[in-house]
Amino acid sequence: MQNKVVDISKKTFINVMIILLSLLVFSIVLTYIIPKGKFFEEIIDGEVIIHYDQYLEIDDAKGINILKGIFAPILVLFSHDGLTIIMLSLFIVTITGAFQVMNDCNGMKLIIQKLIDKFINNKKLLISLIILIFMMFGSFFGLFEEVLILLPLIMMLTISIGYDSYTGFLICIVATGFGFSSALTNPFTVITASQLIGVSPLTNFWYRIIIFVMMYGLLVLFTLHHLSVIEKSPEKSPTYQKDLEKKKVLDLEIYENNGNNQRTFIAYVIFLVTILATIITVTLIEAIRGYIVVFLIVISLFGGILTGYIASRNIKDVLKSFLKGIVSAIPAIAMIMVASSIKFILEEASVLPTIANYISVLVYGKNQFVVLLLLFLIIIVLEFFISSSTAKAVFVMGILSCVSINISKEMLVLVYLFGDGYTNVLFPTSPVLLIALTMTGINYTTWLKKSKWLFVITFVLVMAFLLIGLLLKY
């Protein structure tokens, strides 16, 4: 049995839960301090219409009951957001279980190995293709922690073709992080945030494709520049000394092209294409668009187990792997429930409309670009403390959905993606980054020094994308 694809350490879980629980307690206190209010509602043709631009203050409202606040992580499941939270939680455990089976059946490794076999004589093209594959893993499927398992294989690959471990780190971990940020159908950011704020994840899809292509080009250029440097002076590699030792014991595992591996490769290519095709198809059909998570749960559950069985022909091992994936996702579900309860508390005590109105008043009359920058900075601050993308999406989008500002919902999702993602491979509070750096053999300070221009250019481009998005009325 191999490692977990999602392995949230006790330290990381405890740190994040302390922050979220502190926010929960703070939100309870706020209900006794902040004036209560509500938005004007009217019923038109049997449908309740909420006017977020018409705020009414409530004079006699009290703070939330303490016991209700304490048990909010459970009570939220019975609120009007409960079904959404339950479905998102089911999706996370099933997709994690499916990818755990994929990992244990060597599905990911085989896909990578096929690339190696095909392009071994064109090394830089191979490097560019691997960057694309890992960016697609992050962009389409929301993988990030999961690819840590593949990092040793990728580093062995880059060393074996004459490069270094640092190159493996760039084309695996950093590429996945950039794909996660330049998301097209990432279930944990794009789909979750879009559903929470009430917009189709494929609306103006073309603009996110342009962003993905440009960020891919930036990372390829950054990586190729590094390759040109170490080709001339190998000692300039930040992992040069450690790689000398690795070369002595290098044993890159080559998977023989036997029937079992061929069957596994084909099965998982079909599985990944099915997930992608489902996301695109369902979001394009308005009648079933609201059921996208249900479709993905079914595919992850039955497709993940069926594909695993096709690959291994051992249903017992497949079910064990799937169960291991489910168990590994439980901490993430706990974080989502606590994060969701914060909105629940503020909403139950009629404080959320007041906070949303405060933000609306704060940004009223201000330049839209300035508003987006303020939101971007707020999300970045949250990212430093809360690494769970889905938990932040529930918290942030829950508030933004009530804010009356002259910015499209698609734009709010985009600014959330930018604030949540690129920092995953920048902030020292990112456990995946720290683990990957340790595996690579470089320290965090060295990474900052090596990557400073990459992130300077990245954030300049982010500002440009936001500005262009406003001009295009994205």
Side-chain angles (χ1 to χ4, degrees):
M1 192 70 75
Q2 301 182 30
N3 296 328
K4 298 177 182 177
V5 293
V6 176
D7 193 5
I8 302 176
S9 68
K10 290 183 179 178
K11 182 178 179 180
T12 299
F13 177 71
I14 291 172
N15 288 341
V16 173
M17 287 299 289
I18 287 174
I19 293 170
L20 289 174
L21 289 172
S22 298
L23 288 173
L24 185 148
V25 172
F26 182 61
S27 66
I28 293 175
V29 173
L30 282 181
T31 66
Y32 288 87
I33 299 174
I34 295 179
K36 316 308 180 292
K38 65 179 182 179
F39 294 113
F40 175 69
E41 299 180 1
E42 64 176 334
I43 300 176
I44 300 177
D45 296 330
E47 183 180 356
V48 178
I49 306 298
I50 302 176
H51 297 272
Y52 291 113
D53 57 344
Q54 298 182 39
Y55 171 77
L56 304 172
E57 188 169 325
I58 302 175
D59 296 326
D60 58 348
K62 298 179 181 179
I64 194 169
N65 180 282
I66 299 296
L67 285 178
K68 196 172 187 179
I70 292 173
F71 289 101
I74 297 174
L75 295 176
V76 70
L77 298 178
F78 301 93
S79 70
H80 62 87
D81 288 333
L83 182 60
T84 299
I85 296 168
I86 291 171
M87 295 307 293
L88 288 174
S89 299
L90 284 174
F91 171 66
I92 289 173
V93 297
T94 52
I95 195 71
T96 304
F99 276 105
Q100 180 67 58
V101 175
M102 181 178 180
N103 172 70
D104 290 350
C105 292
N106 290 322
M108 290 184 182
K109 290 183 179 180
L110 285 169
I111 291 173
I112 296 298
Q113 190 60 51
K114 287 286 184 178
L115 283 173
I116 297 172
D117 296 340
K118 186 75 174 178
F119 298 99
I120 192 64
N121 294 322
N122 196 332
K123 297 189 293 184
K124 290 187 177 178
L125 177 59
L126 174 61
I127 292 296
S128 299
L129 285 174
I130 292 178
I131 291 175
L132 179 61
I133 291 294
F134 277 98
M135 278 193 67
M136 290 175 68
F137 278 165
S139 181
F140 287 105
F141 307 112
L143 302 187
F144 189 47
E145 294 92 342
E146 294 86 340
V147 301
L148 275 172
I149 302 167
L150 296 176
L151 180 57
L153 174 69
I154 298 301
M155 288 193 296
M156 287 189 289
L157 161 66
T158 52
I159 292 174
S160 69
I161 61 177
Y163 298 134
D164 58 353
S165 297
Y166 178 69
T167 301
F169 169 75
L170 289 177
I171 68 176
C172 179
I173 301 300
V174 179
T176 307
F178 267 56
F180 196 95
S181 313
S182 311
L184 296 176
T185 61
N186 184 333
F188 306 105
T189 56
V190 173
I191 293 179
T192 299
S194 296
Q195 282 208 321
L196 290 169
I197 205 168
V199 67
S200 168
L202 287 190
T203 302
N204 292 326
F205 188 71
W206 61 270
Y207 190 54
R208 293 206 305 275
I209 292 177
I210 293 174
I211 293 171
F212 178 91
V213 171
M214 292 190 66
M215 299 313 296
Y216 169 69
L218 172 62
L219 187 55
V220 168
L221 289 174
F222 181 80
T223 304
L224 293 181
H225 171 71
H226 169 70
L227 296 183
S228 66
V229 170
I230 62 173
E231 283 176 340
K232 295 176 182 177
S233 306
E235 67 279 1
K236 290 186 178 181
S237 165
T239 57
Y240 177 70
Q241 292 298 331
K242 293 183 181 295
D243 287 342
L244 290 178
E245 296 298 318
K246 290 178 182 178
K247 287 177 182 178
K248 295 178 182 178
V249 295
L250 181 63
D251 182 22
L252 180 61
E253 181 180 1
I254 302 295
Y255 292 89
E256 295 181 2
N257 188 23
N258 57 43
N260 181 60
N261 286 340
Q262 186 68 13
R263 184 176 65 245
T264 299
F265 172 76
I266 294 173
Y268 275 108
V269 167
I270 294 174
F271 176 65
L272 295 176
V273 169
T274 301
I275 292 178
L276 179 58
T278 300
I279 292 173
I280 294 174
T281 303
V282 174
T283 49
L284 285 175
I285 303 174
E286 188 174 353
I288 59 174
R289 185 178 297 160
Y291 300 96
I292 184 170
V293 174
V294 177
F295 279 93
L296 292 176
I297 289 172
V298 172
I299 292 174
S300 300
L301 177 61
F302 295 104
I305 293 175
L306 176 61
T307 308
Y309 176 72
I310 292 172
S312 68
R313 297 297 172 88
N314 190 324
I315 191 64
K316 184 177 179 180
D317 285 347
V318 168
L319 293 176
K320 284 183 178 179
S321 292
F322 200 92
L323 180 61
K324 183 171 67 173
I326 291 176
V327 171
S328 70
I330 291 176
I333 303 304
M335 290 188 287
I336 291 171
M337 291 176 64
V338 176
S340 304
S341 67
I342 297 170
K343 177 194 172 185
F344 172 79
I345 290 170
L346 299 177
E347 201 169 46
E348 284 291 299
S350 300
V351 167
L352 183 60
T354 305
I355 295 175
N357 185 62
Y358 282 164
I359 297 175
S360 300
V361 172
L362 177 65
V363 302
Y364 178 77
K366 289 185 172 60
N367 181 278
Q368 288 181 312
F369 186 62
V370 174
V371 173
L372 284 176
L373 288 182
L374 289 173
L375 295 176
F376 179 68
L377 291 174
I378 291 171
I379 297 168
I380 282 181
V381 171
L382 287 173
E383 171 67 20
F384 190 85
F385 296 102
I386 306 172
S387 59
S388 171
S389 298
T390 310
K392 273 198 308 300
V394 172
F395 178 60
V396 173
M397 303 313 287
I399 294 177
L400 291 183
S401 64
C402 302
V403 176
S404 178
I405 51 180
N406 189 26
I407 294 176
S408 70
K409 292 181 177 181
E410 292 85 359
M411 203 68 187
L412 292 177
V413 172
L414 189 64
V415 75
Y416 171 73
L417 295 180
F418 289 155
D420 171 72
Y422 297 108
T423 50
N424 285 331
V425 286
L426 175 62
F427 284 170
T429 50
S430 170
V432 177
L433 174 62
L434 297 182
I435 292 170
L437 289 174
T438 301
M439 293 170 67
T440 307
I442 59 178
N443 59 49
Y444 180 72
T445 304
T446 302
W447 166 234
L448 280 184
K449 184 178 179 181
K450 293 285 293 183
S451 65
K452 59 180 182 295
W453 287 113
L454 174 64
F455 287 105
V456 167
I457 296 173
T458 293
F459 287 110
V460 168
L461 287 175
V462 164
M463 298 300 103
F465 291 143
L466 292 176
L467 181 58
I468 294 171
L470 287 175
L471 295 174
L472 295 175
K473 300 187 183 303
Y474 173 76

